[in-house]
Amino acid sequence: MEFDHIHFYVQDAQRTRDWFIHYLGFQGIGSWNQVHTQTEIVYQGSVYFLLSSPLTSESPVARFLQVHPSGVADVAFQVQDLELRIKPLIQQGVKVISPLKFYHDQGETIKWLTLKGWQGLRHTFIEQIGTHSGKLIPGFPRLLPQDHSTLLGIDHVVLNVKSGDLKKAISWYNHYLGFEAKQRFNIQTERSGLQSQVLVHPQGQVQFPINEPASSNSQIQEFLDLNRGSGIQHIALKTSDLVQKVQDLRQRGLSFLTVPGEYYLQLQNRWLHQPLSVDWEQLKRYQILVDWETSTPEAMLLQIFTQPIFEQPTFFFEFIERKICQVQGQLRQAEGFGEGNFKALFEAIEREQIKRSS
């Protein structure tokens, strides 16, 4: 299983497309007016986003936006043996939103259907068979290009659920979709807290952390209140050169969370006995967070988080680089999610939260 694409429901698809192009450097592919709905597609490298807005009140996007602010409606996965994989789920009662469909084009076949995920989140499952000369998006019958980019793909997608639902959500994704539990985190700051469980799929690269609030004033609770229910909090985009990527994004005018200077002093103290040199001033200048394991410091994890991108402060992006090093003749890549940065990250989000409430 791999991430295929993410489908956003937004107030204005054209305006959102222009934002992705201007601030994130994505390319637009085309515009489609379907029944009651307009959809734009943007992409960068292997990352594809669908952006849909309502043309009439009958659009499913309009119904979504009556309940939630703009955000992610569908996390789509690439799978193999789609019909074999889906049959037992349907027999167990998982709700089918859109039944199995097929499309054939120039020797390629694409199969897809959409299931109801956790509390209204949708998951489209896609199987593409054939020459793989490009990418086909379900429901949009044309072959789409792919370019070379510093974006390597979607690293992980984060779901926020209400207090008391974490175990139930974990159980749902384990039982029906085959996800397995990996790291678990209990994060506390002076102001609030949250609990997080990382889920991974054993057949592929999909990582799917789930958060629940551990206090009534938690940033996760603020998300749930503003989103009016559970939903996708952020998407992490993996890049091969985060410093260069952030430099480009800042030049485009993209806003990121600010990191206090003492964070980098603490990092330097933590790094004192490590063998490599690090340009701390460069990382501080671009406000990049850094984490590593003591046994393999060369395999650093670099990450940065944008300000919320929609009209409500709910959804944001993370950009992440997982450096690779060689240990005893084997390549090791930075893993985890920046555990050493969690406190700094959540305090930065809390500072923005306090600004909004003042």
Side-chain angles (χ1 to χ4, degrees), residues 39-55:
T39 298
E40 305 280 343
I41 298 179
V42 296
Y43 80 104
Q44 188 175 154
S46 61
V47 178
Y48 287 81
F49 294 142
L50 276 61
L51 315 169
S52 291
S53 61
L55 295 173

Side-chain angles (χ1 to χ4, degrees), residues 286-304:
Y286 292 117
Q287 300 278 281
I288 292 172
L289 302 173
V290 188
D291 197 25
W292 65 88
E293 294 182 12
T294 304
S295 59
T296 54
E298 304 96 325
M300 289 190 298
L301 183 147
L302 307 180
Q303 59 191 158
I304 193 169

Side-chain angles (χ1 to χ4, degrees), residues 6-11 16 50-52 61 64-65 68-75 121 223 227 231-233 235 309-312 314-316:
I6 307 291
H7 198 160
F8 292 86
Y9 282 0
V10 299
Q11 297 287 347
T16 307
L50 276 61
L51 315 169
S52 291
V61 182
F64 177 94
L65 294 175
H68 308 287
S70 297
V72 174
D74 191 328
V75 177
L121 180 65
F223 171 95
N227 194 61
I232 299 301
Q233 178 209 46
I235 295 169
I309 72 168
F310 293 124
E311 64 274 8
Q312 291 287 352
T314 48
F315 178 85
F316 57 89

Side-chain angles (χ1 to χ4, degrees), residues 10-64:
V10 299
Q11 297 287 347
D12 187 327
Q14 289 184 342
R15 186 175 64 187
T16 307
R17 172 205 62 197
D18 293 344
W19 186 92
F20 274 90
I21 291 171
H22 178 77
Y23 288 102
L24 297 188
F26 276 64
Q27 298 183 48
I29 292 173
S31 175
W32 289 264
N33 287 345
Q34 301 164 300
V35 180
H36 307 299
T37 302
Q38 178 182 0
T39 298
E40 305 280 343
I41 298 179
V42 296
Y43 80 104
Q44 188 175 154
S46 61
V47 178
Y48 287 81
F49 294 142
L50 276 61
L51 315 169
S52 291
S53 61
L55 295 173
T56 74
S57 60
E58 299 300 313
S59 169
V61 182
R63 293 192 288 272
F64 177 94

Side-chain angles (χ1 to χ4, degrees), residues 132-147:
H132 302 288
S133 56
K135 184 176 182 61
L136 291 169
I137 297 287
F140 301 90
R142 62 177 70 180
L143 206 58
L144 301 179
Q146 292 189 1
D147 68 346

